[in-house]
Amino acid sequence: MVGGLTMFPIRLDDLRFTPQGRPVLAGVDLTLGGEGISVVLGPNGAGKSVLLRTLAGLEKPDGGSIAWNGSAVPGPAVAMVFQTPMLLRASVADNAALGLKPLKLSRAEVQGRVARVLERVGLAHRARDSARHLSGGERQRLALARAWAVGPRLLLLDEPTAALDPTATEAVEALIREIRTDGARIVMTTHNLGQAMRISDDIVFIEGGRVREHSPSARFFSRPQSPEAKLFMKGELPWRIAFED
Amino acid sequence: MLPTLLDAFHLLGNLDAQVLAIVWLSLKVSLSAVALGALIGLPLGAWVAVARFPGRNGVAVFLNAMMGMPSVVLGVLVYLLLSRSGPLGSLGLLFSPAAMIFAQTLLVAPLIAALARQIVEDAWRDYAHEFAAFRLSRRQSVATLLFDCRFSLVVAVLAGLGRAISEVGAVMIVGGNIEGFTRVMTTAIALETAKGDLPLSIALGVVLVGLVLGLNALAHGLRQWAMVKYG
Protein backbone atom coordinates (compact mmCIF):
# COMPACT_ATOMS: atom_id res chain seq x y z
CA MET A 1 0.00 0.00 0.00
CA VAL A 2 2.68 2.45 1.01
CA GLY A 3 5.13 3.53 -1.63
CA GLY A 4 6.82 6.56 -3.12
CA LEU A 5 10.32 7.75 -3.84
CA THR A 6 12.95 7.97 -1.16
CA MET A 7 12.55 11.28 0.62
CA PHE A 8 14.61 10.50 3.68
CA PRO A 9 16.45 11.75 5.53
CA ILE A 10 14.47 14.94 5.95
CA ARG A 11 16.74 17.72 7.18
CA LEU A 12 15.32 20.87 8.69
CA ASP A 13 17.96 23.56 8.93
CA ASP A 14 17.36 26.75 10.94
CA LEU A 15 13.67 26.65 9.96
CA ARG A 16 11.86 29.86 10.84
CA PHE A 17 8.22 30.89 10.70
CA THR A 18 7.24 34.31 12.00
CA PRO A 19 3.63 35.21 11.23
CA GLN A 20 2.78 38.83 12.13
CA GLY A 21 6.22 39.25 13.67
CA ARG A 22 5.67 36.53 16.28
CA PRO A 23 8.29 33.77 16.06
CA VAL A 24 6.50 30.41 16.08
CA LEU A 25 9.41 28.45 14.67
CA ALA A 26 12.57 30.17 15.78
CA GLY A 27 15.30 28.15 14.09
CA VAL A 28 14.35 24.47 14.06
CA ASP A 29 17.19 22.04 13.36
CA LEU A 30 16.07 18.46 13.00
CA THR A 31 16.87 15.31 11.04
CA LEU A 32 14.25 12.63 10.51
CA GLY A 33 15.27 9.20 9.29
CA GLY A 34 13.12 6.93 7.16
CA GLU A 35 11.54 4.67 9.77
CA GLY A 36 9.57 4.65 12.96
CA ILE A 37 7.22 6.89 14.84
CA SER A 38 8.45 10.27 16.08
CA VAL A 39 6.32 12.06 18.62
CA VAL A 40 6.67 15.83 18.85
CA LEU A 41 6.16 16.92 22.44
CA GLY A 42 6.09 20.34 24.00
CA PRO A 43 3.93 22.86 25.84
CA ASN A 44 1.06 24.72 24.22
CA GLY A 45 2.24 27.27 21.68
CA ALA A 46 5.65 25.62 21.34
CA GLY A 47 5.24 25.27 17.57
CA LYS A 48 4.44 21.53 17.33
CA SER A 49 1.46 21.80 14.99
CA VAL A 50 3.12 24.49 12.90
CA LEU A 51 6.14 22.23 12.49
CA LEU A 52 3.89 19.47 11.12
CA ARG A 53 2.00 21.88 8.90
CA THR A 54 5.26 23.20 7.53
CA LEU A 55 6.38 19.65 6.72
CA ALA A 56 3.02 19.13 4.99
CA GLY A 57 3.61 22.24 2.91
CA LEU A 58 0.68 24.10 4.45
CA GLU A 59 2.82 26.87 5.89
CA LYS A 60 5.62 28.59 4.03
CA PRO A 61 8.63 29.15 6.28
CA ASP A 62 10.21 32.56 6.08
CA GLY A 63 13.69 31.32 6.82
CA GLY A 64 15.84 28.20 6.80
CA SER A 65 15.29 25.15 4.66
CA ILE A 66 13.81 21.66 4.43
CA ALA A 67 15.73 19.12 2.38
CA TRP A 68 14.05 15.87 1.42
CA ASN A 69 16.97 13.55 0.80
CA GLY A 70 18.78 16.56 -0.56
CA SER A 71 15.87 17.81 -2.65
CA ALA A 72 13.75 20.86 -1.93
CA VAL A 73 10.61 19.07 -3.18
CA PRO A 74 9.01 16.39 -0.99
CA GLY A 75 7.10 14.54 -3.73
CA PRO A 76 3.51 13.44 -3.46
CA ALA A 77 3.84 10.79 -0.75
CA VAL A 78 3.15 13.04 2.25
CA ALA A 79 -0.24 12.92 3.98
CA MET A 80 -1.58 14.67 7.07
CA VAL A 81 -4.39 13.92 9.49
CA PHE A 82 -5.78 16.72 11.61
CA GLN A 83 -7.10 16.72 15.16
CA THR A 84 -10.62 17.42 13.88
CA PRO A 85 -10.81 15.98 10.38
CA MET A 86 -13.30 17.66 8.07
CA LEU A 87 -15.50 15.08 6.44
CA LEU A 88 -17.47 15.75 3.29
CA ARG A 89 -21.25 15.50 3.21
CA ALA A 90 -20.86 12.22 1.40
CA SER A 91 -20.49 8.53 2.06
CA VAL A 92 -17.65 7.01 4.06
CA ALA A 93 -16.26 5.52 0.82
CA ASP A 94 -16.35 8.88 -0.99
CA ASN A 95 -14.48 10.48 1.89
CA ALA A 96 -11.86 7.75 1.86
CA ALA A 97 -11.31 8.46 -1.84
CA LEU A 98 -10.73 12.22 -1.38
CA GLY A 99 -6.93 12.09 -1.34
CA LEU A 100 -6.86 9.90 -4.45
CA LYS A 101 -8.25 12.61 -6.73
CA PRO A 102 -4.86 14.11 -7.61
CA LEU A 103 -3.41 10.66 -8.36
CA LYS A 104 -5.62 10.22 -11.43
CA LEU A 105 -6.21 6.52 -10.84
CA SER A 106 -8.75 4.41 -12.68
CA ARG A 107 -12.17 4.04 -11.05
CA ALA A 108 -11.44 0.37 -10.36
CA GLU A 109 -8.17 1.19 -8.66
CA VAL A 110 -9.80 3.89 -6.51
CA GLN A 111 -12.53 1.48 -5.47
CA GLY A 112 -9.95 -1.19 -4.72
CA ARG A 113 -7.82 1.09 -2.56
CA VAL A 114 -10.85 2.48 -0.72
CA ALA A 115 -12.19 -1.02 -0.03
CA ARG A 116 -8.80 -2.15 1.29
CA VAL A 117 -8.25 0.75 3.68
CA LEU A 118 -11.82 0.71 4.95
CA GLU A 119 -11.43 -2.99 5.67
CA ARG A 120 -8.21 -2.32 7.58
CA VAL A 121 -9.69 0.45 9.72
CA GLY A 122 -12.85 -1.58 10.38
CA LEU A 123 -15.26 0.65 8.48
CA ALA A 124 -15.97 -1.54 5.46
CA HIS A 125 -19.48 -2.28 6.73
CA ARG A 126 -20.22 1.45 6.85
CA ALA A 127 -18.83 2.32 3.43
CA ARG A 128 -22.16 3.56 2.12
CA ASP A 129 -23.23 5.43 5.27
CA SER A 130 -22.91 9.19 5.59
CA ALA A 131 -19.49 10.06 7.01
CA ARG A 132 -21.03 12.78 9.16
CA HIS A 133 -23.00 10.18 11.10
CA LEU A 134 -19.86 8.46 12.36
CA SER A 135 -18.76 8.64 15.99
CA GLY A 136 -15.61 10.60 16.93
CA GLY A 137 -13.46 7.47 16.93
CA GLU A 138 -14.86 6.29 13.61
CA ARG A 139 -14.28 9.72 12.09
CA GLN A 140 -10.63 9.63 13.09
CA ARG A 141 -10.29 6.09 11.72
CA LEU A 142 -11.81 7.31 8.47
CA ALA A 143 -9.35 10.22 8.42
CA LEU A 144 -6.51 7.72 8.85
CA ALA A 145 -7.97 5.55 6.10
CA ARG A 146 -8.17 8.58 3.83
CA ALA A 147 -4.50 9.32 4.37
CA TRP A 148 -3.50 5.65 4.21
CA ALA A 149 -5.23 5.21 0.85
CA VAL A 150 -2.79 7.68 -0.68
CA GLY A 151 0.09 5.35 0.21
CA PRO A 152 2.05 7.93 2.20
CA ARG A 153 5.76 7.55 2.77
CA LEU A 154 5.48 10.24 5.44
CA LEU A 155 2.32 10.51 7.54
CA LEU A 156 1.87 13.55 9.76
CA LEU A 157 -0.66 13.28 12.58
CA ASP A 158 -1.66 16.39 14.53
CA GLU A 159 -3.05 15.24 17.88
CA PRO A 160 -5.06 12.48 16.26
CA THR A 161 -6.59 11.24 19.51
CA ALA A 162 -7.04 14.51 21.41
CA ALA A 163 -10.84 14.33 21.39
CA LEU A 164 -11.24 10.57 21.76
CA ASP A 165 -12.13 8.30 24.67
CA PRO A 166 -9.62 5.62 25.80
CA THR A 167 -11.17 2.84 23.71
CA ALA A 168 -11.19 4.91 20.54
CA THR A 169 -7.67 6.12 21.34
CA GLU A 170 -6.46 2.54 21.65
CA ALA A 171 -8.00 1.66 18.28
CA VAL A 172 -6.36 4.65 16.60
CA GLU A 173 -2.99 3.83 18.18
CA ALA A 174 -3.25 0.27 16.86
CA LEU A 175 -3.92 1.65 13.39
CA ILE A 176 -0.97 4.04 13.60
CA ARG A 177 1.30 1.10 14.42
CA GLU A 178 -0.16 -0.86 11.50
CA ILE A 179 0.46 2.02 9.11
CA ARG A 180 4.03 2.22 10.40
CA THR A 181 4.44 -1.52 9.79
CA ASP A 182 3.11 -0.92 6.28
CA GLY A 183 6.17 1.25 5.65
CA ALA A 184 5.08 4.80 6.45
CA ARG A 185 7.29 7.09 8.49
CA ILE A 186 5.10 8.74 11.09
CA VAL A 187 5.53 12.08 12.83
CA MET A 188 2.81 13.01 15.27
CA THR A 189 2.03 15.48 18.01
CA THR A 190 0.27 14.67 21.24
CA HIS A 191 -0.26 16.09 24.70
CA ASN A 192 -0.72 12.62 26.09
CA LEU A 193 2.58 11.53 27.64
CA GLY A 194 1.28 8.00 28.17
CA GLN A 195 0.50 7.76 24.49
CA ALA A 196 3.88 9.19 23.55
CA MET A 197 5.52 6.55 25.73
CA ARG A 198 3.42 3.73 24.25
CA ILE A 199 3.74 4.58 20.61
CA SER A 200 6.91 6.51 19.91
CA ASP A 201 10.34 5.35 18.79
CA ASP A 202 11.84 8.77 19.36
CA ILE A 203 10.77 12.07 20.89
CA VAL A 204 11.25 15.51 19.40
CA PHE A 205 10.89 17.94 22.27
CA ILE A 206 10.13 21.45 21.11
CA GLU A 207 9.80 24.62 23.15
CA GLY A 208 9.86 28.26 22.18
CA GLY A 209 9.92 27.35 18.49
CA ARG A 210 13.18 25.37 18.81
CA VAL A 211 13.98 21.69 19.12
CA ARG A 212 15.44 21.35 22.62
CA GLU A 213 15.94 17.63 22.54
CA HIS A 214 15.63 14.77 20.05
CA SER A 215 16.31 11.40 21.54
CA PRO A 216 15.08 7.81 21.62
CA SER A 217 11.83 7.46 23.48
CA ALA A 218 13.13 5.26 26.32
CA ARG A 219 15.98 7.65 27.04
CA PHE A 220 13.78 10.75 26.88
CA PHE A 221 11.34 9.41 29.42
CA SER A 222 13.96 7.99 31.78
CA ARG A 223 16.71 10.63 31.47
CA PRO A 224 15.69 13.78 29.63
CA GLN A 225 18.80 15.76 28.76
CA SER A 226 17.67 19.35 28.25
CA PRO A 227 16.63 21.58 31.18
CA GLU A 228 13.38 22.45 29.35
CA ALA A 229 12.44 18.78 28.88
CA LYS A 230 13.21 18.05 32.54
CA LEU A 231 10.89 20.88 33.62
CA PHE A 232 8.22 19.76 31.13
CA MET A 233 8.31 16.22 32.47
CA LYS A 234 7.87 17.56 35.97
CA GLY A 235 4.90 19.58 34.76
CA GLU A 236 6.61 22.88 35.48
CA LEU A 237 7.53 24.23 32.07
CA PRO A 238 4.16 25.63 30.97
CA TRP A 239 3.89 27.54 34.26
CA ARG A 240 7.36 28.97 33.91
CA ILE A 241 6.54 30.20 30.41
CA ALA A 242 3.21 31.61 31.55
CA PHE A 243 4.86 33.61 34.34
CA GLU A 244 7.67 34.81 32.10
CA ASP A 245 5.15 35.99 29.47
CA MET B 1 -64.02 42.31 -6.58
CA LEU B 2 -65.61 38.93 -5.80
CA PRO B 3 -66.82 38.31 -9.38
CA THR B 4 -63.31 39.12 -10.62
CA LEU B 5 -61.80 36.59 -8.25
CA LEU B 6 -64.37 33.99 -9.23
CA ASP B 7 -63.57 34.58 -12.91
CA ALA B 8 -59.89 34.19 -12.15
CA PHE B 9 -60.40 30.85 -10.42
CA HIS B 10 -62.75 29.81 -13.20
CA LEU B 11 -59.91 30.33 -15.67
CA LEU B 12 -57.61 28.24 -13.51
CA GLY B 13 -60.19 25.55 -12.85
CA ASN B 14 -60.94 25.15 -16.54
CA LEU B 15 -57.23 24.95 -17.37
CA ASP B 16 -57.65 27.82 -19.79
CA ALA B 17 -55.47 27.26 -22.86
CA GLN B 18 -54.21 30.84 -22.90
CA VAL B 19 -53.18 30.64 -19.24
CA LEU B 20 -51.47 27.28 -19.75
CA ALA B 21 -49.56 28.52 -22.81
CA ILE B 22 -48.31 31.58 -20.92
CA VAL B 23 -47.32 29.52 -17.87
CA TRP B 24 -45.56 26.93 -20.04
CA LEU B 25 -43.53 29.60 -21.89
CA SER B 26 -42.64 31.31 -18.61
CA LEU B 27 -41.37 28.05 -17.17
CA LYS B 28 -39.49 27.17 -20.35
CA VAL B 29 -37.76 30.55 -20.49
CA SER B 30 -36.97 30.89 -16.78
CA LEU B 31 -35.91 27.28 -16.19
CA SER B 32 -33.65 27.41 -19.26
CA ALA B 33 -32.14 30.68 -18.05
CA VAL B 34 -31.60 29.31 -14.55
CA ALA B 35 -30.03 26.11 -15.90
CA LEU B 36 -27.62 28.18 -18.00
CA GLY B 37 -27.11 30.66 -15.17
CA ALA B 38 -26.28 27.81 -12.77
CA LEU B 39 -23.84 26.29 -15.26
CA ILE B 40 -22.03 29.63 -15.37
CA GLY B 41 -22.66 30.96 -11.87
CA LEU B 42 -21.91 27.94 -9.70
CA PRO B 43 -18.39 27.21 -10.95
CA LEU B 44 -17.66 30.93 -11.28
CA GLY B 45 -18.74 31.63 -7.70
CA ALA B 46 -16.83 28.62 -6.37
CA TRP B 47 -13.73 29.59 -8.31
CA VAL B 48 -13.81 33.16 -6.95
CA ALA B 49 -14.21 31.68 -3.45
CA VAL B 50 -11.18 29.43 -3.78
CA ALA B 51 -8.80 31.29 -6.08
CA ARG B 52 -6.41 33.99 -4.95
CA PHE B 53 -5.62 36.55 -7.66
CA PRO B 54 -5.19 40.32 -7.88
CA GLY B 55 -8.59 42.00 -8.08
CA ARG B 56 -10.42 39.08 -6.46
CA ASN B 57 -12.18 41.39 -4.01
CA GLY B 58 -13.21 43.61 -6.90
CA VAL B 59 -14.76 40.61 -8.67
CA ALA B 60 -16.63 39.67 -5.49
CA VAL B 61 -17.94 43.23 -5.09
CA PHE B 62 -18.96 43.29 -8.77
CA LEU B 63 -20.87 40.01 -8.43
CA ASN B 64 -22.62 41.27 -5.29
CA ALA B 65 -23.49 44.54 -7.03
CA MET B 66 -24.88 42.66 -10.04
CA MET B 67 -27.40 40.99 -7.72
CA GLY B 68 -29.16 44.34 -7.59
CA MET B 69 -28.96 45.06 -11.33
CA PRO B 70 -32.36 46.47 -12.44
CA SER B 71 -33.83 44.07 -14.98
CA VAL B 72 -34.94 46.94 -17.26
CA VAL B 73 -31.38 48.22 -17.49
CA LEU B 74 -30.15 44.75 -18.37
CA GLY B 75 -33.01 44.49 -20.84
CA VAL B 76 -31.84 47.66 -22.59
CA LEU B 77 -28.24 46.37 -22.72
CA VAL B 78 -29.33 43.05 -24.22
CA TYR B 79 -31.62 44.92 -26.62
CA LEU B 80 -28.64 46.95 -27.83
CA LEU B 81 -26.59 43.77 -28.24
CA LEU B 82 -29.31 41.93 -30.17
CA SER B 83 -30.78 44.80 -32.17
CA ARG B 84 -30.19 44.70 -35.91
CA SER B 85 -27.27 47.16 -35.69
CA GLY B 86 -25.83 45.60 -32.51
CA PRO B 87 -22.86 43.22 -32.30
CA LEU B 88 -25.13 40.15 -32.09
CA GLY B 89 -27.81 41.52 -34.42
CA SER B 90 -26.98 39.03 -37.17
CA LEU B 91 -28.29 36.21 -34.98
CA GLY B 92 -31.82 37.57 -35.38
CA LEU B 93 -32.76 36.72 -31.81
CA LEU B 94 -34.53 39.92 -30.77
CA PHE B 95 -38.19 39.46 -29.82
CA SER B 96 -37.84 35.71 -29.46
CA PRO B 97 -37.87 33.34 -26.47
CA ALA B 98 -34.14 32.80 -27.07
CA ALA B 99 -33.53 36.51 -26.45
CA MET B 100 -35.53 36.29 -23.23
CA ILE B 101 -33.50 33.28 -22.10
CA PHE B 102 -30.30 35.16 -22.95
CA ALA B 103 -31.37 38.22 -20.95
CA GLN B 104 -32.53 36.22 -17.95
CA THR B 105 -29.34 34.15 -18.00
CA LEU B 106 -27.33 37.37 -17.72
CA LEU B 107 -29.64 38.44 -14.91
CA VAL B 108 -29.41 35.28 -12.80
CA ALA B 109 -25.84 34.09 -13.44
CA PRO B 110 -24.25 36.85 -11.28
CA LEU B 111 -26.85 36.30 -8.56
CA ILE B 112 -26.13 32.56 -8.44
CA ALA B 113 -22.39 33.23 -8.62
CA ALA B 114 -22.49 35.75 -5.76
CA LEU B 115 -24.50 33.45 -3.50
CA ALA B 116 -22.39 30.43 -4.48
CA ARG B 117 -19.21 32.38 -3.71
CA GLN B 118 -20.41 33.10 -0.18
CA ILE B 119 -21.58 29.53 0.48
CA VAL B 120 -18.44 27.93 -0.96
CA GLU B 121 -16.11 30.41 0.75
CA ASP B 122 -17.57 29.47 4.12
CA ALA B 123 -17.00 25.79 3.36
CA TRP B 124 -13.53 26.50 1.96
CA ARG B 125 -12.44 27.92 5.33
CA ASP B 126 -13.16 24.51 6.85
CA TYR B 127 -11.65 22.38 4.11
CA ALA B 128 -8.73 24.43 2.83
CA HIS B 129 -6.07 22.66 4.87
CA GLU B 130 -7.44 19.17 4.26
CA PHE B 131 -7.51 19.79 0.51
CA ALA B 132 -4.08 21.39 0.52
CA ALA B 133 -2.65 18.48 2.53
CA PHE B 134 -3.94 16.09 -0.14
CA ARG B 135 -2.65 18.42 -2.87
CA LEU B 136 -5.99 18.79 -4.60
CA SER B 137 -5.74 21.12 -7.56
CA ARG B 138 -7.82 24.29 -7.71
CA ARG B 139 -10.17 22.59 -10.14
CA GLN B 140 -10.53 19.50 -7.95
CA SER B 141 -11.16 21.71 -4.91
CA VAL B 142 -13.87 23.67 -6.73
CA ALA B 143 -15.59 20.48 -7.92
CA THR B 144 -15.42 18.88 -4.47
CA LEU B 145 -16.73 22.00 -2.74
CA LEU B 146 -19.61 22.34 -5.20
CA PHE B 147 -20.52 18.72 -4.49
CA ASP B 148 -20.20 19.18 -0.73
CA CYS B 149 -22.32 22.34 -0.71
CA ARG B 150 -24.88 20.97 -3.17
CA PHE B 151 -27.82 21.23 -0.80
CA SER B 152 -27.04 24.81 0.23
CA LEU B 153 -26.45 25.74 -3.39
CA VAL B 154 -30.02 24.71 -4.18
CA VAL B 155 -31.00 27.89 -2.35
CA ALA B 156 -28.77 29.95 -4.65
CA VAL B 157 -30.32 28.35 -7.72
CA LEU B 158 -33.80 28.89 -6.31
CA ALA B 159 -33.02 32.54 -5.71
CA GLY B 160 -32.04 32.70 -9.38
CA LEU B 161 -35.29 31.07 -10.41
CA GLY B 162 -37.25 33.46 -8.20
CA ARG B 163 -35.52 36.41 -9.83
CA ALA B 164 -35.98 35.09 -13.35
CA ILE B 165 -39.60 34.07 -13.14
CA SER B 166 -40.71 37.25 -11.38
CA GLU B 167 -38.86 39.85 -13.46
CA VAL B 168 -40.74 41.79 -16.08
CA GLY B 169 -38.42 44.50 -17.40
CA ALA B 170 -35.90 42.47 -19.37
CA VAL B 171 -38.33 40.03 -20.97
CA MET B 172 -40.67 42.89 -21.91
CA ILE B 173 -37.87 44.77 -23.71
CA VAL B 174 -36.13 41.90 -25.49
CA GLY B 175 -39.20 39.68 -25.94
CA GLY B 176 -41.70 42.33 -26.94
CA ASN B 177 -44.62 40.61 -25.14
CA ILE B 178 -45.93 39.12 -28.40
CA GLU B 179 -49.10 37.12 -27.81
CA GLY B 180 -48.60 33.40 -28.26
CA PHE B 181 -44.88 33.81 -28.88
CA THR B 182 -43.04 35.78 -26.19
CA ARG B 183 -45.78 36.56 -23.69
CA VAL B 184 -44.89 35.26 -20.23
CA MET B 185 -46.68 35.50 -16.90
CA THR B 186 -45.19 38.79 -15.73
CA THR B 187 -45.57 40.64 -19.02
CA ALA B 188 -49.08 39.27 -19.43
CA ILE B 189 -50.03 40.41 -15.91
CA ALA B 190 -48.68 43.90 -16.63
CA LEU B 191 -50.52 44.13 -19.96
CA GLU B 192 -53.84 42.59 -18.88
CA THR B 193 -53.98 44.77 -15.77
CA ALA B 194 -53.41 47.86 -17.92
CA LYS B 195 -56.17 46.65 -20.24
CA GLY B 196 -58.49 46.02 -17.29
CA ASP B 197 -58.65 42.22 -17.76
CA LEU B 198 -58.13 41.53 -14.09
CA PRO B 199 -59.31 37.87 -13.99
CA LEU B 200 -56.46 36.78 -16.30
CA SER B 201 -53.98 38.88 -14.32
CA ILE B 202 -55.12 37.38 -11.06
CA ALA B 203 -55.15 33.84 -12.44
CA LEU B 204 -51.57 34.25 -13.65
CA GLY B 205 -50.59 35.91 -10.39
CA VAL B 206 -51.96 32.95 -8.43
CA VAL B 207 -49.98 30.54 -10.60
CA LEU B 208 -46.83 32.64 -10.24
CA VAL B 209 -47.05 32.85 -6.45
CA GLY B 210 -47.99 29.17 -6.26
CA LEU B 211 -44.95 28.19 -8.32
CA VAL B 212 -42.60 30.26 -6.18
CA LEU B 213 -44.09 28.85 -2.97
CA GLY B 214 -44.05 25.30 -4.32
CA LEU B 215 -40.44 25.46 -5.44
CA ASN B 216 -39.34 26.92 -2.13
CA ALA B 217 -41.22 24.23 -0.22
CA LEU B 218 -39.55 21.61 -2.40
CA ALA B 219 -36.11 23.11 -1.72
CA HIS B 220 -36.81 23.31 2.00
CA GLY B 221 -37.90 19.67 2.03
CA LEU B 222 -34.79 18.67 0.09
CA ARG B 223 -32.53 20.46 2.56
CA GLN B 224 -34.27 18.86 5.54
CA TRP B 225 -33.92 15.44 3.96
CA ALA B 226 -30.26 16.10 3.15
CA MET B 227 -29.52 17.25 6.70
CA VAL B 228 -30.95 14.01 8.07
CA LYS B 229 -29.24 11.81 5.48
CA TYR B 230 -25.83 13.47 5.20
CA GLY B 231 -25.50 15.56 8.36
Side-chain angles (χ1 to χ4, degrees):
Chain A
M1 178 69 66
V2 172
L5 301 170
T6 301
M7 58 169 68
F8 300 98
I10 306 168
R11 290 189 202 283
L12 285 68
D13 182 27
D14 195 28
L15 199 68
R16 293 173 184 274
F17 181 60
T18 316
Q20 282 106 41
R22 192 176 70 89
V24 177
L25 299 181
V28 170
D29 296 307
L30 179 67
T31 299
L32 296 167
E35 288 177 357
I37 300 176
S38 296
V39 168
V40 183
L41 281 179
N44 286 331
K48 306 184 294 293
S49 294
V50 172
L51 178 62
L52 257 58
R53 290 154 63 91
T54 307
L55 283 169
L58 303 179
E59 306 288 0
K60 195 171 156 45
D62 40 36
S65 63
I66 305 177
W68 308 79
N69 192 23
S71 165
V73 184
V78 181
M80 182 161 180
V81 173
F82 297 86
Q83 180 181 340
T84 311
M86 289 304 299
L87 301 178
L88 301 170
R89 285 178 195 84
S91 69
V92 167
D94 284 344
N95 271 278
L98 177 69
L100 302 177
K101 287 176 190 281
L103 304 185
K104 296 187 168 54
L105 304 172
S106 69
R107 182 186 287 261
E109 197 167 349
V110 169
Q111 286 172 345
R113 281 204 195 194
V114 166
R116 277 199 297 278
V117 289
L118 289 182
E119 188 67 45
R120 294 179 83 167
V121 302
L123 289 174
H125 64 293
R126 303 209 58 182
R128 296 171 74 91
D129 292 350
S130 167
R132 297 221 171 174
H133 290 161
L134 298 178
S135 68
E138 289 171 328
R139 281 171 172 242
Q140 202 57 271
R141 274 152 54 200
L142 174 55
L144 281 171
R146 188 155 75 176
W148 202 356
V150 175
R153 190 63 188 83
L154 173 65
L155 179 59
L156 305 162
L157 308 172
D158 191 8
E159 299 193 39
T161 61
L164 303 184
D165 65 33
T167 310
T169 298
E170 195 180 330
V172 168
E173 286 179 9
L175 280 174
I176 293 170
R177 287 193 194 94
E178 204 177 328
I179 297 172
R180 189 257 311 261
T181 306
D182 204 23
R185 175 71 163 94
I186 291 169
V187 181
M188 64 179 278
T189 64
T190 182
H191 276 115
N192 182 337
L193 289 179
Q195 179 176 65
M197 224 180 280
R198 281 193 300 274
I199 207 167
S200 66
D201 295 304
D202 58 282
I203 299 289
V204 177
F205 181 74
I206 184 167
E207 186 268 327
R210 286 195 180 89
V211 174
R212 304 295 181 177
E213 185 166 342
H214 182 197
S215 52
S217 181
R219 196 175 80 190
F220 180 87
F221 286 109
S222 59
R223 300 185 309 280
Q225 304 296 301
S226 66
E228 294 86 358
K230 285 176 186 167
L231 285 170
F232 180 75
M233 295 299 287
K234 281 195 248 172
E236 293 173 6
L237 185 58
W239 291 101
R240 190 177 69 114
I241 287 170
F243 285 126
E244 281 181 357
D245 283 349
Chain B
M1 181 71 182
L2 189 62
T4 308
L5 283 175
L6 287 174
D7 285 349
F9 285 105
H10 185 71
L11 282 173
L12 290 174
N14 286 346
L15 299 174
D16 181 81
Q18 189 187 6
V19 172
L20 288 182
I22 292 170
V23 170
W24 173 237
L25 181 64
S26 297
L27 284 175
K28 212 162 61 174
V29 167
S30 295
L31 287 174
S32 302
V34 168
L36 290 171
L39 277 177
I40 300 164
L42 292 177
L44 174 65
W47 183 75
V48 174
V50 168
R52 293 291 174 267
F53 56 91
R56 178 180 167 274
N57 287 335
V59 173
V61 169
F62 175 75
L63 288 177
N64 287 342
M66 286 294 285
M67 287 200 293
M69 170 74 128
S71 59
V72 282
V73 174
L74 191 100
V76 171
L77 291 174
V78 174
Y79 182 91
L80 292 172
L81 276 176
L82 298 180
S83 63
R84 200 169 291 275
S85 58
L88 300 177
S90 59
L91 296 174
L93 293 178
L94 200 59
F95 304 129
S96 71
M100 295 154 75
I101 292 170
F102 181 50
Q104 287 198 345
T105 301
L106 292 183
L107 198 65
V108 301
L111 172 70
I112 293 174
L115 294 174
R117 183 196 65 78
Q118 192 58 59
I119 290 166
V120 171
E121 198 167 293
D122 290 344
W124 179 236
R125 281 193 203 103
D126 294 333
Y127 288 117
H129 283 140
E130 295 271 2
F131 288 7
F134 282 123
R135 292 167 177 73
L136 263 64
S137 67
R138 194 81 73 201
R139 195 170 156 188
Q140 287 163 339
S141 298
V142 164
T144 307
L145 286 166
L146 283 173
F147 176 75
D148 192 62
C149 298
R150 59 199 179 281
F151 301 113
S152 300
L153 291 170
V154 168
V155 176
V157 174
L158 262 187
L161 183 58
R163 173 119 214 244
I165 208 162
S166 61
E167 73 87 18
V168 59
V171 282
M172 182 77 92
I173 293 169
V174 304
N177 198 19
I178 303 166
E179 186 175 4
F181 186 51
T182 58
R183 185 162 297 172
V184 291
M185 284 190 279
T186 50
T187 57
I189 290 170
L191 179 70
E192 300 304 327
T193 306
K195 279 165 54 184
D197 185 359
L198 289 176
L200 183 55
S201 293
I202 292 170
L204 291 170
V206 167
V207 173
L208 190 56
V209 172
L211 275 173
V212 171
L213 277 175
L215 287 167
N216 276 283
L218 188 69
H220 184 74
L222 179 68
R223 267 184 66 84
Q224 294 291 99
W225 170 81
M227 288 297 286
V228 172
K229 183 161 172 59
Y230 292 102

